Structures are given as structure tokens and as C-alpha cells.
Amino acid sequence: MLKITKINMINIDNISIIISVVLLFLALLSPIINPFFRKPKQTRYAGFDEDNLDQTTEECDDNDDEEEVVNNTIQKNLTPISIIFTPNNDAESLSRNLELYLNQNHCDFQVIVVAPKGDTETEDILKSHSSNPRLYTTFIPTSSKYMSRKKLAITLGVKAAKNEWVMIADISCMPQSDKWLSTLASHCSETNNLVVGYTKFEDDAPSFWKFERLQTTLYLIREYQKGMPYGCNSNALLFRKSEFIEQDGFRGNLKFIRGEYDFIINKYGKKGTIDIDLSKDGTLIEQTPPKKLWVNKHLYYMESRKHLRRSFRHRLLFNLDQSIMHVSYLTPILVLSYSLLKEHWFLTIVAMTVLFVTIILRTFIGNKAIKQFEEDIPAWKIVPYELRIIWQNLSYKIKYWRANKYDFISHKI
């Protein structure tokens, strides 16, 4: 007598179909609810009249160097800029990068260095460049208390600036070309009050740091372009001197040791008045920081974000993305485990297919965005890094809970 065995693979009931549809829906939804899927728009240069530029090019003689004529025309129409650097015991970076900023191909700019009084190495470097008419130096006293020394240095630099448009930048970063300043200045217009320049790590930085920074940048760019500016993870920020002084600069957050870029964007950012440059010429390369400095940056942010407007809205989108991503991975894994246990081969095939499709789609979309920003991050690391982000943030949160909260402010007991 033959014994007939029922094959579960053929047993496709309504519940199996519903589960399969849900899995397929998650596989299609997950790659879309994703910061790498939301492509930022690169804005056009706003600092010169393109019609005037075309007319000037047409009028040049045959013997003229057209490229030189175009460059001179652009330069004449670009906004004068004052760049503020606030090195703090970082004479090495000042020595390496100051010349790159002083030699920018820009018609009218000044470089202001505000350094702590008594830093002899920094003072010696500044003295060696004292003959450069573009350089202006000043010092903050060692006795300044009850406020962030960096915010104090920036405020002194703004007051010393001779131009309306002021930039704060980190001396640990280097511009990729001598057109860096002109590229950013081309975004300074009557309708803008803030301009952000893109910053990336140098090649030897850990790939996870590059990934995390790029992901954060994509969230911030979206908020700039949606008129909801929240913070800034760049190292170059342009703003108006008059507005900064009229609205009392950093008043309201002077006690917080870090967060200068975030507070300026958050306080002065308005709908339709902030621009960002994502071009290669407008990019700064940041020297890879020590791991301790990298971790401390996250801890300081966890303190300052409690005092930033629109913080809930900013974190809501991130939490939504993370939730959908984890559900899109966890659900097919659970279904796969159950189907293997019950020998339900139809669900096994569906779950494995959906998991594979989710990984492929998220990798493809992430890799496309990474290439757009010319970051060196292997495609196979994208999914592990996406999953790591939230758990890495949790580790920072635990460190923040355990830290002495007075470490984040200048007011000590």
C-alpha cells in the first residue's frame, strides 16, 4: 500500500498569500523610505549675472584668452568674503593649510585668525605670514570664562570682519582647489542669508565614518531644500555679519562648548534663504580626527540637540527610516525561520526572495548616492552600515548618559 505524502509547497492558502503580499510590499517600500533615495538638488550659482557673462564673452577679441575673460568677469561680480578660523592648540593644521586659504583665486577676501593668547606655536606661524595683506589676526584672553571660547572667538572674528558675508571654517580642513572660495561665494545673493559648503573626510578615514556623515548630510540637505533648516555637519558656513550682530550672535547658547554650526543654521535659517554647494570645487577635505574626538563630537551633539528647534521633526524622519528598514529585514527572517521549521517551502522561497531583493535594492540605491558624492565606500558594506547606525547611536547615547553633564557647558560648579 502506497503512502501519499502531502507537500506543503503546493498548499498555498490565503494566509500564505497575505504574508507573501506583505513581504513583497516591504521589499518595495524599504528602498524608497531611505535617505539615499531622496536625491538632493544642486543649486545653480547665484552670485553673477549669466546674461552679462555671455555678453562679455561674445565681446572679447579673437586674440583674448576667453577663459581668462570669463574668469575675470565672474571675479568682478563675486561677493567679498571674510573667512574666520579659530585654531585651538592646532598649530600643525594652521601651518599646513593657512597658505591654501590665503592663495584662493577670489577678487576680494580676508582671512581672520582668532587664536588663544599664549599659544606660541600659533603666534609664530601667524608672524611668518604677517606681511600678507589678506591676513588679520587677533587673540582671545586666557581668562575668558562662563562662555564657549570657540563661540567667543567666532564673535570676535565677526566683529573684526570688513565684509558683510562672513564664513566660519575649520583650519583642519583643506580646499580641493583655489576656486573653493569663489565657488561658495557665487551662492551669495540678495535672497540668501546662509550658504553651506560640502565637507568630506580624507581617503584614510574609516569607511563607516564616511557613510554616517554622508547619511546625515542627506537628511540635512533635504531639510535645507524643504525650508526646514535644522543643523550642519559641514566645516564651511557663510552667513551675514549684519544679521548675526543684530540678533546677538550666539545669545541663548553661549554656555555650550560645541555646536557653533548647528546653532547658526538653526537660529538664522529661514525658508528659501539657505543654499548648499555640492560641487567638487566647493568641497573641503577634513583631516581624519582621532577616535576620541569623533566620539566626543557625537556626545556634544546629544547635548546641543535638546536646545535646537525642529529637533523632533528632524529625528522623526530618521526614526521612520530606521524602523521601516529593520522591519523589512526582520519580517522575512522571521517568516523564513517559521517556514523552515514547518517545512512550508512556498513561504521559504518567498521569504528568501524578498530578503535578497531588499538587500540588492538598498545596496544599489545606496551605492548610486555614494558615487554621486564620490565617496570611497565599498558597496557590500552599505547594508551592514545601515543596520549599524542605530546601534552605534545607542552606544553614544549610553556614553552620554554616563558622562558628567558639566563637561558639555562652560559654566562649572
Side-chain angles (χ1 to χ4, degrees):
M1 182 177 182
L2 296 176
K3 183 178 180 181
I4 301 176
T5 304
K6 184 178 181 180
I7 303 177
N8 285 337
M9 180 179 178
I10 302 176
N11 184 21
I12 306 176
D13 53 20
N14 291 336
I15 295 179
S16 300
I17 294 175
I18 293 174
I19 293 175
S20 301
V21 171
V22 171
L23 291 178
L24 181 60
F25 175 75
L26 288 174
L28 298 176
L29 178 66
S30 174
I32 298 175
I33 310 300
N34 178 359
F36 294 109
F37 184 79
R38 308 178 191 111
K39 295 182 180 179
K41 297 179 295 183
Q42 169 68 313
T43 53
R44 64 181 290 275
Y45 291 162
F48 59 90
D49 188 340
E50 291 182 349
D51 294 334
N52 182 47
L53 175 61
D54 293 338
Q55 181 180 355
T56 304
T57 304
E58 292 173 358
E59 292 175 352
C60 69
D61 297 331
D62 294 337
N63 296 328
D64 292 336
D65 186 333
E66 183 175 330
E67 183 177 352
E68 183 179 351
V69 172
V70 171
N71 183 64
N72 291 337
T73 302
I74 294 175
Q75 289 292 329
K76 290 178 182 179
N77 287 273
L78 288 178
T79 305
I81 304 293
S82 296
I83 314 173
I84 301 173
F85 294 107
T86 57
N88 185 13
N89 297 321
D90 194 8
E92 181 181 351
S93 294
L94 185 68
S95 175
R96 181 178 62 251
N97 297 331
L98 182 59
E99 194 73 24
L100 297 175
Y101 292 101
L102 290 171
N103 291 333
Q104 283 294 299
N105 182 20
H106 191 67
C107 56
D108 185 4
F109 73 99
Q110 68 173 151
V111 175
I112 303 171
V113 179
V114 186
K117 188 70 175 177
D119 186 346
T120 55
E121 288 187 65
T122 297
E123 291 177 3
D124 290 341
I125 294 170
L126 294 174
K127 287 178 183 178
S128 67
H129 292 85
S130 59
S131 60
N132 193 311
R134 298 190 185 278
L135 180 64
Y136 175 85
T137 62
T138 187
F139 300 90
I140 57 175
T142 56
S143 59
S144 59
K145 297 179 180 179
Y146 307 119
M147 65 182 301
S148 164
R149 290 174 62 82
K150 188 171 182 68
K151 292 184 179 66
L152 172 60
I154 291 173
T155 302
L156 292 175
V158 172
K159 291 182 177 180
K162 67 177 184 179
N163 299 311
E164 165 65 5
W165 278 94
V166 178
M167 175 192 291
I168 55 173
D170 286 354
I171 198 62
S172 62
C173 303
M174 63 180 68
Q176 291 204 84
S177 76
D178 62 356
K179 300 177 183 177
W180 169 77
L181 184 56
S182 294
T183 301
L184 295 186
S186 67
H187 294 273
C188 299
S189 68
E190 293 295 330
T191 58
N192 290 341
N193 73 330
L194 294 170
V195 177
V196 180
Y198 182 63
T199 305
K200 60 190 295 186
F201 284 121
E202 59 185 358
D203 292 339
D204 66 350
S207 55
F208 177 73
W209 292 10
K210 298 177 185 178
F211 180 89
E212 183 191 51
R213 182 173 202 156
L214 176 57
Q215 188 186 78
T216 302
T217 298
L218 293 175
Y219 280 110
L220 296 175
I221 292 174
R222 181 182 182 275
E223 290 165 347
Y224 298 159
Q225 296 179 343
K226 293 290 184 179
M228 303 176 294
Y230 169 72
C232 180
N233 69 338
S234 171
N235 296 80
L237 175 61
L238 280 152
F239 56 93
R240 294 181 180 273
K241 173 180 178 178
S242 58
E243 185 177 30
F244 184 86
I245 293 177
E246 288 170 5
Q247 299 190 33
D248 298 323
F250 290 109
R251 180 178 293 276
N253 51 71
L254 283 169
K255 68 177 182 179
F256 302 108
I257 296 177
R258 295 290 181 267
E260 297 78 25
Y261 294 82
D262 287 330
F263 285 123
I264 289 178
I265 287 284
N266 197 261
K267 180 175 181 178
Y268 299 101
K270 304 170 186 175
K271 186 174 183 179
T273 65
I274 182 170
D275 213 348
I276 182 167
D277 187 278
L278 303 175
S279 68
K280 185 174 181 179
D281 282 338
T283 298
L284 283 181
I285 305 297
E286 181 178 357
Q287 181 182 6
T288 304
K291 184 176 181 180
K292 182 178 180 180
L293 185 61
W294 170 255
V295 173
N296 285 342
K297 180 179 179 180
H298 289 78
L299 301 185
Y300 282 117
Y301 166 69
M302 289 188 174
E303 174 64 29
S304 62
R305 75 180 185 184
K306 296 189 297 185
H307 310 279
L308 296 174
R309 298 178 299 166
R310 299 178 288 275
S311 182
F312 175 79
R313 180 182 295 176
H314 170 78
R315 294 164 63 187
L316 179 63
L317 183 58
F318 171 81
N319 292 334
L320 176 63
D321 289 343
Q322 287 291 316
S323 298
I324 291 178
M325 180 188 66
H326 279 80
V327 168
S328 70
Y329 285 124
L330 184 60
T331 303
I333 290 175
L334 291 176
V335 172
L336 180 61
S337 301
Y338 171 80
S339 63
L340 288 172
L341 182 64
K342 297 295 184 179
E343 298 184 356
H344 198 307
W345 307 123
F346 173 76
L347 283 181
T348 299
I349 294 173
V350 171
M352 291 179 64
T353 302
V354 165
L355 190 59
F356 178 76
V357 168
T358 301
I359 292 173
I360 293 299
L361 287 177
R362 293 193 69 95
T363 300
F364 173 78
I365 292 172
N367 191 51
K368 188 175 181 180
I370 288 170
K371 287 183 177 179
Q372 178 183 344
F373 286 85
E374 299 183 0
E375 292 285 4
D376 183 21
I377 303 172
W380 67 269
K381 291 185 177 181
I382 291 175
V383 170
Y385 283 170
E386 284 184 320
L387 294 169
R388 176 180 169 180
I389 287 285
I390 193 169
W391 306 107
Q392 188 75 58
N393 288 348
L394 179 60
S395 71
Y396 295 143
K397 190 69 174 179
I398 293 173
K399 287 185 174 67
Y400 172 74
W401 286 335
R402 298 174 60 183
N404 186 340
K405 299 306 180 288
Y406 288 106
D407 291 339
F408 305 111
I409 60 176
S410 58
H411 296 130
K412 312 295 184 183
I413 295 181

